[in-house]
Amino acid sequence: MEHNRSTDGVWIFGDCRNHFQNRVTLQLIAKGKELAETLNTEVTVLVLGEQVHQYAMEYTAHGADVVMVAEHPGLKYYQVEMYTAVIARWIEASKPDILLAGATSFGREFFPRLAKRVHTGLSADCIGLEVDPETGNLLQTTPAFGGELLAEVVTSRHRPQMATVRPGVFQELQHNSKATGRILYPEIDVQPEQRVQLLGSQRQQVRKNNLEEAQVVVVGGRGLGSKEQFELVSELAELLEGEVGATRPAVLAGWSEEERLLGQTGKAVKPKLLISIGTSGALQYTAGIHGAETIIAINRDPRAPIFKMADLGLVGDSTTLLPLLLEALRKRIKNHYLEHIASSVRTSGGA
Ligand SMILES: Cc1cc2nc3c(=O)[nH]c(=O)nc-3n(C[C@H](O)[C@H](O)[C@H](O)COP(=O)(O)OP(=O)(O)OC[C@H]3O[C@@H](n4cnc5c(N)ncnc54)[C@H](O)[C@@H]3O)c2cc1C
């Protein structure tokens, strides 16, 4: 859409699937509020589906000024054609200035199509958003060339300025049940005839994953060599009360769920401690772990690039080192509990 008419508002696509685990919409509302303040406008969240009005209150409690709801049985399941049609109509009617979505599998599939439909640009996987106070344009920071460079993208001539943003980059605002907002039910254009007919869906059983918030993340890569060895990574993460991450080859081999992929096309994490095992340190992977405070790498090749960014490197075979590490940790945890029990007995004996 040519930027020749006045435009208004910061819009955020409300990705309410797995709502309590997927916090990206809430994170975007917090950032959207900052942008809206500079632009002297409002934050609107768009929610599509069936029985989704329940999410509207959740979004206003996290800072949304307005929630636009499309309730329709035909929107029960996400379908790219339908979602594009509904939101494109809303954009044409209301001309928002900015439209953001999380860089989830959802946002990554449907935002490019939507951007094409409304004739505007799209920056994918942004890690920073600011408004240029002089021009009012959105400065969209996104990794380029496999994360080697950071590019600043500006959509100066078209509106809306569209971007997908990685989960975990921004911090959500606290839930405030007293906050109020306007909930609108605008006209929707649900086309009955779709080229793809969804007959049903079944939720995949995956272990709960809290990667973006985890204080400890243990990552397994191709060097582990087998699913059995990858299980040891999960065990290590469990002992450290952390989460498991994976590189793309580990996901492709079926050792880990895709939700645990880290990197350019996966998640970005910011733990206090990250242990990277059997990973070479490819740029596309390390793009997701720059936020880690301390990195320990285990690799049998002393020249592996991962050692350049690691704070501590262990050169050795993971099949030898991992069992040793697990044994040492279990012993430490056991001693800690024994000490704890002994001290409780001493305290209660003395009382
Ligand atoms: C457009 C694009 C996007 C991509 N996005 C991503 C992404 O988001 N995330 C991602 O992870 N990848 C991504 N990739 C793939 C990426 O380029 C790398 O191929 C991948 O990260 C490598 O994974 P790895 O380190 O597990 O495997 P490898 O590069 O094969 O490294 C395995 C390492 O294990 C070591 N090793 C082998 N055996 C042992 C052992 N017994 N003990 C200890 N060490 C051992 C080896 O020395 C080696 O360094 C992307 C690629 C492209 C082209």
Side-chain angles (χ1 to χ4, degrees):
M1 191 185 299
E2 280 283 346
H3 178 30
N4 55 4
R5 287 174 293 185
S6 73
T7 54
D8 204 3
V10 176
W11 283 15
I12 291 158
F13 172 68
D15 186 347
C16 47
R17 299 163 308 158
N18 297 336
H19 172 67
F20 293 104
Q21 287 148 44
N22 176 3
R23 313 296 290 182
V24 68
T25 304
L26 306 181
Q27 294 158 7
L28 289 179
I29 294 173
K31 185 65 193 180
K33 274 191 92 66
E34 267 178 53
L35 304 174
E37 215 162 280
T38 316
L39 292 166
N40 196 20
T41 184
E42 290 186 315
V43 174
T44 298
V45 178
L46 320 177
V47 195
L48 283 69
E50 194 189 26
Q51 305 281 320
V52 283
H53 55 272
Q54 51 177 315
Y55 296 112
M57 305 288 280
E58 184 70 11
Y59 291 145
T60 55
H62 277 90
D65 301 297
V66 183
V67 181
M68 279 165 56
V69 182
E71 279 277 6
H72 194 281
L75 295 168
K76 179 171 179 184
Y77 298 112
Y78 160 71
Q79 289 200 56
V80 68
E81 287 181 307
M82 206 107 91
Y83 273 48
T84 306
V86 171
I87 297 185
R89 167 77 78 92
W90 284 354
I91 291 173
E92 275 148 21
S94 304
K95 304 180 203 67
D97 203 17
I98 292 171
L99 176 56
L100 309 174
T104 58
S105 49
F106 219 7
R108 281 180 177 142
E109 183 192 5
F110 121 82
F111 252 43
R113 178 183 280 254
L114 184 60
K116 175 77 176 70
R117 180 73 57 88
V118 298
H119 307 294
T120 190
L122 170 68
S123 304
D125 285 11
C126 287
I127 54 165
L129 296 172
E130 294 303 330
V131 170
D132 179 342
E134 304 242 311
T135 59
N137 283 330
L138 183 68
L139 308 176
Q140 306 148 48
T141 308
T142 180
F145 297 103
E148 219 166 339
L149 292 175
L150 286 181
E152 196 162 81
V153 181
V154 178
T155 315
S156 55
R157 284 183 294 121
H158 292 78
R159 290 293 182 270
Q161 302 162 92
M162 285 180 63
T164 59
V165 179
R166 288 178 178 221
V169 171
F170 302 122
Q171 191 79 39
E172 71 187 60
L173 298 172
Q174 274 203 336
H175 184 280
N176 173 9
S177 51
K178 294 202 184 91
T180 52
R182 302 192 306 285
I183 299 176
L184 311 177
Y185 292 83
E187 196 185 321
I188 54 171
D189 177 17
V190 178
Q191 302 154 349
E193 285 305 319
Q194 297 296 312
R195 281 178 293 178
V196 177
Q197 295 286 324
L198 190 71
L199 302 178
S201 79
Q202 199 174 3
R203 192 172 286 277
Q204 194 185 1
Q205 290 301 320
V206 288
R207 228 171 321 156
K208 188 174 168 290
N209 158 353
N210 194 20
L211 266 168
E212 283 104 339
E213 307 303 326
Q215 299 290 297
V216 177
V217 175
V218 186
V219 188
R222 179 169 14 220
L224 287 160
S226 70
K227 195 169 171 74
E228 288 69 36
Q229 286 293 312
F230 197 92
E231 283 300 318
L232 300 185
V233 168
S234 307
E235 211 174 308
L236 182 57
E238 207 169 304
L239 285 177
L240 294 170
E241 295 179 12
E243 288 282 350
V244 178
T247 61
R248 186 191 267 187
V251 171
L252 290 177
W255 303 340
S256 173
E257 304 104 12
E258 190 166 358
E259 285 74 10
R260 296 187 179 275
L261 173 68
L262 302 187
Q264 189 185 326
T265 49
K267 289 185 171 146
V269 291
K270 44 181 184 345
K272 286 199 187 317
L273 172 67
L274 182 134
I275 307 178
S276 197
I277 309 170
T279 66
S280 58
L283 289 170
Q284 293 87 358
Y285 159 59
T286 56
I289 64 167
H290 280 298
E293 272 177 38
T294 302
I295 297 178
I296 301 177
I298 300 179
N299 195 306
R300 69 179 178 192
D301 176 2
R303 289 157 306 156
I306 190 70
F307 288 132
K308 291 203 183 107
M309 77 181 295
D311 299 281
L312 176 68
L314 300 177
V315 179
D317 198 305
S318 64
T319 49
T320 316
L321 289 180
L322 250 177
L324 289 175
L325 201 56
L326 285 167
E327 199 189 314
L329 253 175
R330 278 192 217 104
K331 213 177 267 174
R332 214 187 147 118
I333 291 168
K334 194 171 154 195
N335 286 341
H336 175 77
Y337 278 120
L338 287 176
E339 265 171 38
H340 180 71
I341 292 166
S343 92
S344 328
V345 170
R346 275 198 298 274
T347 315
S348 58

